[in-house]
Amino acid sequence: MGKETEPTRRTEAGAASTESFDGQRLRTVLTALEPWQRVAFAVSCVEVLVPSYTKFSEPDQVGDADLVQASVDAVWSALAGNQPAVHHSELPGRGSHNSRTPGRRPDSSR
């Protein structure tokens, strides 16, 4: 058959791009960023995934999509220089030996 090509992606400006994912290049670029810029990149990645997480978590009532969204909002707010409205120790899943924070393994020493 014909020559296989990489999938075409569109950039923000709408131009076609055939650039593939390069993990080493991403690490190099992220390493060069200031810590706050790496946090902004990370929260941007999470923010893109929140709608999918919500669709996953709602039917079976697994996880806490509202907590994830509130966390994303809190990080953006902190990056904007605002004081957090809630201290991290007050978040659900903290302080109780039986609770789990979504995505974290329980501490085996408890």
Side-chain angles (χ1 to χ4, degrees), residues 97 105-110:
H97 295 291
R105 295 183 181 160
D107 186 352
S108 60
S109 64
R110 293 187 200 175

Side-chain angles (χ1 to χ4, degrees), residues 39 43 47 69-86:
V39 171
V43 75
E47 191 169 47
Q69 184 61 59
S71 299
V72 167
D73 294 342
V75 171
W76 281 124
S77 182
L79 285 171
N82 300 318
Q83 292 293 322
V86 176

